[in-house]
Amino acid sequence: MTIQLPSAGGTLRTYEPRTEPLAVTTGTPFTSRTVFSAAHVVADPFADVSPDSPAAVDWDATLAFRRHLWSHGLGVAEAMDTAQRGMGLDWAGAAELIRRSAAEAKAVGGRIACGVGTDQITGGTLAEIRAAYEEQLALVEESGAQAILMASRALAATAAGPEDYLEIYGHLLRQATEPVVLHWLGPMFDPALEGYWGSTDLDAATDVFLDVIAAHPDKVDGIKVSLLDAQREIDLRRRLPQGVRCYTGDDFNYPELIAGDAQGFSHALLGIFDPLGPLAAQAVRILDTGDTAGFRALLDPTVELSRHLFQTPTRFYKTGVVFLAWLAGHQAHFTMVGGLQSARSLPHFARAYELADGLGLFPDPKLAEERMKTLLALYGVSQ
């Protein structure tokens, strides 16, 4: 069986789909790395909503996907960028997601950390921004989940300089009951975060970020760095206080960063580990045995797919993540909150399908092929 896939130049090419998925197995919990998958949400396809409406979520399918990730030993990073936080999922929806996912994690014994931001407001004074953070931090802590202090669009717009970041984050860290993860999300993921930590100079911003951590090292479990700059992440993790982890958020260079070097390594909190979940888990278990070469041999080939999904404009990577979840059978439709399924082109989808199929990511390759052909037919491509 073959399938005709469109290329960017407007021509069709013949592709022969894989017939068997990659063989993956579950196993014992990871011992060498802490690994989170930032998970997507499944929209309710029958809800009569517009892109500007509050998100209509299929809670059963959304929670089922989290159970899938937990079954492979991965932690779930909830209500993050991958869940379309601020791109279709508002605070009310995120709050409900956090409550439901945290309860599900407790029921099945899964690890969970949840995003704390300020998306109740679009701007305001520093006091209002602090109050918004406090409201979300309280909800996450009450749910029993670990908190991830996310970058704030409101703070980026309001802060006059580094001192405002030091004040806000210092207050939140003093208030947190358990160690949190600090999240530095670069402007390639969200243009509104340009100049975070008080400077567009990344060296100066890094110094401020490290000052926040140095003032409260006992309240920082780790940092999540999403700057797509491997060397900057390596340099940063070497400057962290003892006991503070670096969770890579670099969806371009994750194999080398997780593998590490003689001076250390990164843990992981990655959006790409949503579609790669079972494969990524198997790779980490190989790494647990000390077999770095085997880990790289399994994970390195996935980078081409990740770079494709996260290509510019990077913030639309969620579309590819949900597309692959549909092809893999984790949801019955390709609909996204906010109508974001329209954010990528048909040639982009075709290449994503081809790369994912080549990796053996689809548990049922025939189902994935049939669904890809359905999408192609909707775009007018006959087989």
Side-chain angles (χ1 to χ4, degrees), residues 301-323:
T302 69
V303 171
E304 185 178 5
L305 171 63
S306 189
R307 287 178 176 252
H308 177 73
L309 296 182
F310 285 77
Q311 68 183 222
T312 303
T314 303
R315 64 188 181 278
F316 295 128
Y317 77 87
K318 299 94 166 173
T319 301
V321 165
V322 176
F323 170 65

Side-chain angles (χ1 to χ4, degrees), residues 107-316:
V108 304
R111 183 165 186 165
I112 188 168
C114 299
V116 170
T118 63
D119 44 335
Q120 314 95 306
I121 60 176
T122 56
T125 65
L126 290 178
E128 289 168 334
I129 292 167
R130 184 173 63 245
Y133 263 130
E134 288 174 335
E135 177 190 357
Q136 297 199 15
L137 178 60
L139 185 145
V140 169
E141 291 189 334
E142 288 167 6
S143 77
Q146 183 178 18
I148 303 171
L149 293 186
M150 301 168 66
S152 163
R153 292 174 178 173
L155 182 56
T158 301
E163 63 282 354
D164 289 338
Y165 289 90
L166 293 168
E167 177 187 340
I168 292 291
Y169 278 89
H171 178 88
L172 294 170
L173 289 173
R174 286 190 296 272
Q175 183 172 318
T177 59
E178 299 291 339
V180 307
V181 176
L182 297 180
H183 186 192
W184 186 357
L185 189 70
M188 67 289 293
F189 288 94
D190 187 343
L193 300 177
E194 182 75 40
Y196 212 73
W197 305 112
S199 179
T200 56
D201 181 331
L202 288 180
D203 291 335
T206 297
D207 288 341
V208 176
F209 188 41
L210 288 168
D211 285 344
V212 169
I213 299 165
H216 307 277
D218 58 321
K219 288 297 188 73
V220 181
D221 165 72
I223 62 169
K224 178 189 185 303
V225 188
S226 299
L227 298 176
L228 303 183
D229 183 334
Q231 190 56 54
R232 183 169 293 278
E233 178 176 322
I234 291 168
D235 293 342
L236 177 55
R237 81 184 181 204
R238 289 175 180 171
R239 296 174 63 187
L240 291 174
Q242 184 70 27
V244 176
R245 305 175 187 179
C246 179
Y247 294 93
T248 188
D250 188 331
D251 300 278
F252 283 6
N253 304 292
Y254 51 92
E256 65 185 86
L257 291 165
I258 297 170
D261 54 33
Q263 298 182 55
F265 57 82
S266 295
H267 300 269
L269 198 166
L270 288 160
I272 192 58
F273 280 7
D274 178 305
L276 291 184
L279 186 156
Q282 183 146 310
V284 174
R285 288 194 178 91
I286 292 172
L287 185 60
D288 286 346
T289 69
D291 183 2
T292 302
F295 165 80
R296 295 293 298 268
L298 187 57
L299 206 57
D300 280 1
T302 69
V303 171
E304 185 178 5
L305 171 63
S306 189
R307 287 178 176 252
H308 177 73
L309 296 182
F310 285 77
Q311 68 183 222
T312 303
T314 303
R315 64 188 181 278
F316 295 128

